[in-house]
């Protein structure tokens, strides 16, 4: 057998693969990995076919189809009244994951420190480690997951190269306020710290809250990469299409890596999405679409023994099961899948030292029929 030294000795298959695999094996309703079980807009699918039939089947330009970059720039103007130059400040990527991987690879060197907030989405830390960086975690506490910005300030030193934020936040379902963004802006002002703002759920935000994009804050914008995902936004997670935006000098560094990482991404889908997002209603209607799903699900489980703090954004709902069992969350998640045929994600995997808070994350991007079946199981626990 070939001997090798793992570059990620601590890493095993992600919780999303594990729980979706278990759900499949045991024929359980899968509310674990985050993906919709309904079809996306037939109009969008037709646009992909049209693009393929029109011959857009060869490499796209390295930074992305120009129509799509222009449409993204228009969307920023429409939603946030700010602009990115499609020539030099926007790159289309193979999902948000590749954007995140490439941003971290472009800027993080040996011993650089990257601040992240926990519970955190799973792809940040391994990518930082692969590049020799050190993750500095700030653990946030349920149910508010509020940030103590003085504490963040105390973690910043000469090695701090990047801060990663994620609002609306996966897995907690919380959002950053305007006040949070102003505090962050104050912290990075006058420094060389890069902010990676993971905004893949920008269109999935509830109760009339406004998404606090990093681009809304001029100083913050100068420091930031904004990352987005068309897969998440338009119910096609399997398309793996996203983008990132940043000031020109940062984007130039990004593209040095991007061109050797993937060079370019799926061309016909870029053409289709360019046309699709030129009609703002396609993204403006998303918050109410998903809020309806959240409310439908929460109404069905309101008499259950789970403790509910309604999600403020994302298509995830965290539920506290401490009144049901004292098992740890990983054990409970597995038992729920195998014995009760309902899969969810244990929250501990996103926390520092895998702290068990007796919580599970459920994805409600599902049809009403599926949510009803899942709720019946939840109410019987
Ligand atoms: N960031 C967060 C917070 C996510 O939840 C996800 C999963 N959608 C991603 C990044 C990756 O997005 P994509 O599927 O477009 O790679
Ligand atoms: N973003 C999805 C989630 O949080 C998972 C994506 C993946 O499987 N890597 O469930």
């Amino acid at each position: 057998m070939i001997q090798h030294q793992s570059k990620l000795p601590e890493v095993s298959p992600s919780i999303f693969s594990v729980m979706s695999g278990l759900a499949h094996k045991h024929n359980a309703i899968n509310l674990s990995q985050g993906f919709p079980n309904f079809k996306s807009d037939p109009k969008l699918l037709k646009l992909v076919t049209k693009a393929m039939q029109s011959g857009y089947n060869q490499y796209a330009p390295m930074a992305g189809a120009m129509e799509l970059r222009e449409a993204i720039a228009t969307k920023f103007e429409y939603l946030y009244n700010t602009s990115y130059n499609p020539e030099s400040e926007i790159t289309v990527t193979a999902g948000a994951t590749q954007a995140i991987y490439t941003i971290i690879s472009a800027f993080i060197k040996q011993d650089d420190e990257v601040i992240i907030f926990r519970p955190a989405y799973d792809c940040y830390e391994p990518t930082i480690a692969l590049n020799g960086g050190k993750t500095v975690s700030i653990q946030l506490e349920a149910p508010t997951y509020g940030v103590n910005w003085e504490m963040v300030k105390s973690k910043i030193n000469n090695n701090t190269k990047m801060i990663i934020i994620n609002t609306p936040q996966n897995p907690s379902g919380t959002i950053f306020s305007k006040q949070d963004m102003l505090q962050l802006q104050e912290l990075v002002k006058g420094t060389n710290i890069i902010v990676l703002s993971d905004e893949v759920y920008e269109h999935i935000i509830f109760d009339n809250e406004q998404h606090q994009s990093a681009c809304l804050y001029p100083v913050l914008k100068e420091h930031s990469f904004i990352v987005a995902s068309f897969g998440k936004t338009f119910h096609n997670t399997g398309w793996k299409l996203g983008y990132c935006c940043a000031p020109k000098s940062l984007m130039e560094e990004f593209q040095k890596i991007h061109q050797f990482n993937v060079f370019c991404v799926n061309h016909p889908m870029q053409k289709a999405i360019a046309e699709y997002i030129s009609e703002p209603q396609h993204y403006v209607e998303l918050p109410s679409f998903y809020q309806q799903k959240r409310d439908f699900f929460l109404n069905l489980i309101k008499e259950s023994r789970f403790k509910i703090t309604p999600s403020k954004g994302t298509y995830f709902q965290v539920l506290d099961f401490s009144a049901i069992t004292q098992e740890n969350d990983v054990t409970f998640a597995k038992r729920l899948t195998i014995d009760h045929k309902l899969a969810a994600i244990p929250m501990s995997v996103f926390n520092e030292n895998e702290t068990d808070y007796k919580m599970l994350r459920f994805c409600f991007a599902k049809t009403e029929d599926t949510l009803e079946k899942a709720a019946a199981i939840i109410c019987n626990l």
Side-chain angles (χ1 to χ4, degrees):
M1 203 168 74
I2 291 175
Q3 298 296 310
H4 69 283
Q5 205 178 7
S6 174
K7 292 178 88 173
L8 293 172
E10 311 283 313
V11 169
S12 50
S14 93
I15 192 68
F16 306 120
S17 305
V18 170
M19 292 312 300
S20 270
L22 203 63
H24 186 70
K25 183 170 167 202
H26 294 277
N27 205 16
I29 297 170
N30 189 1
L31 303 195
S32 65
Q33 192 178 23
F35 60 88
N37 74 338
F38 43 85
K39 293 201 175 96
S40 66
D41 189 344
K43 247 199 296 190
L44 179 55
L45 304 183
K46 271 199 195 132
L47 288 172
V48 177
T49 309
K50 185 175 97 176
M52 285 182 174
Q53 285 171 343
S54 307
Y56 293 103
N57 299 305
Q58 309 308 331
Y59 294 128
M62 184 270 282
M66 192 38 110
E67 296 95 308
L68 181 54
R69 284 184 276 151
E70 281 167 353
I72 292 166
T74 305
K75 191 180 90 143
F76 272 97
E77 275 153 27
Y78 180 79
L79 285 178
Y80 307 116
N81 198 21
T82 189
S83 60
Y84 283 97
N85 185 339
E87 295 278 355
S88 54
E89 299 186 316
I90 300 173
T91 305
V92 183
T93 59
T97 309
Q98 184 241 318
I100 293 165
Y101 189 92
T102 305
I103 294 164
I104 294 172
S105 301
F107 295 98
I108 297 306
K109 300 198 266 304
Q110 194 66 36
D111 300 328
D112 284 344
E113 295 187 7
V114 181
I115 294 178
I116 69 167
F117 298 94
R118 290 191 179 278
Y121 186 60
D122 69 342
C123 76
Y124 309 141
E125 189 171 14
T127 312
I128 295 164
L130 271 176
N131 287 283
K134 181 176 160 215
T135 298
V136 176
S137 294
I138 295 184
Q139 181 70 52
L140 307 181
E141 301 297 333
T144 61
Y145 299 93
V147 178
N148 175 343
W149 289 100
E150 276 308 310
M151 145 106 98
V152 181
K153 192 173 175 185
S154 74
K155 302 272 182 192
I156 294 179
N157 60 49
N158 289 338
N159 291 331
T160 309
K161 192 65 178 259
M162 188 177 284
I163 300 177
I164 302 182
I165 62 167
N166 172 215
T167 182
Q169 213 263 359
N170 176 14
S172 68
T174 56
I175 54 176
F176 272 9
S177 65
K178 187 172 180 183
Q179 209 45 39
D180 287 316
M181 300 306 275
L182 289 170
Q183 299 259 20
L184 175 64
Q185 174 165 258
E186 213 38 49
L187 282 189
V188 298
K189 198 169 164 181
T191 72
N192 289 317
I193 296 172
I194 293 168
V195 173
L196 191 171
S197 185
D198 180 344
E199 302 186 13
V200 302
Y201 299 101
E202 79 183 295
H203 301 297
I204 311 182
I205 184 161
F206 311 131
D207 308 321
N208 292 319
E209 293 283 355
Q210 294 305 306
H211 170 58
Q212 297 299 325
S213 174
C215 73
L216 288 168
Y217 302 85
V219 174
L220 195 50
K221 185 182 174 200
E222 285 308 302
H223 288 252
S224 297
F225 274 92
I226 291 175
V227 173
S229 166
F230 289 121
K232 283 279 131 158
T233 304
F234 296 124
H235 324 310
N236 292 310
T237 58
W239 286 11
K240 295 302 295 188
L241 206 62
Y243 62 90
C244 64
C245 306
K248 185 166 184 266
S249 66
L250 295 180
M251 192 50 83
E252 272 170 10
E253 281 307 309
F254 176 92
Q255 290 182 351
K256 285 183 194 172
I257 310 264
H258 176 79
Q259 64 182 338
F260 299 121
N261 195 189
V262 288
F263 184 72
C264 66
V265 303
N266 193 307
H267 200 173
M269 285 171 185
Q270 293 193 49
K271 289 282 187 188
I273 287 181
E275 204 169 323
Y276 194 70
I277 64 171
S278 65
E279 290 178 54
Q281 101 247 14
H282 290 140
Y283 46 84
V284 167
E285 66 198 12
L286 287 166
S288 67
F289 173 79
Y290 274 113
Q291 182 166 332
Q292 235 173 330
K293 291 209 174 287
R294 179 201 64 173
D295 293 346
F296 181 78
F297 181 53
L298 292 190
N299 190 43
L300 289 173
I301 62 169
K302 65 176 189 286
E303 305 297 341
S304 76
R305 291 198 290 156
F306 284 93
K307 196 153 82 201
I308 303 169
T309 306
S311 171
K312 294 184 166 155
T314 77
Y315 47 49
F316 302 113
Q317 176 63 52
V318 175
L319 298 176
D320 177 327
F321 63 80
S322 53
I324 296 173
T325 172
Q326 286 312 301
E327 283 162 294
N328 77 39
D329 61 351
V330 174
T331 309
F332 183 47
K334 288 190 174 155
R335 186 166 69 80
L336 191 57
T337 310
I338 297 167
D339 295 352
H340 298 273
K341 309 293 175 207
L342 177 62
I345 298 282
M347 285 288 282
S348 61
V349 299
F350 306 112
N351 285 322
E352 186 152 40
N353 308 320
E354 309 228 337
T355 319
D356 174 22
Y357 291 101
K358 311 262 176 266
M359 287 186 219
L360 299 179
R361 189 200 78 173
F362 294 81
C363 172
F364 56 80
K366 304 293 170 189
T367 56
E368 292 195 348
D369 175 54
T370 299
L371 292 175
E372 273 167 348
K373 288 186 184 135
I377 298 170
I378 287 172
C379 291
N380 267 327
L381 292 166

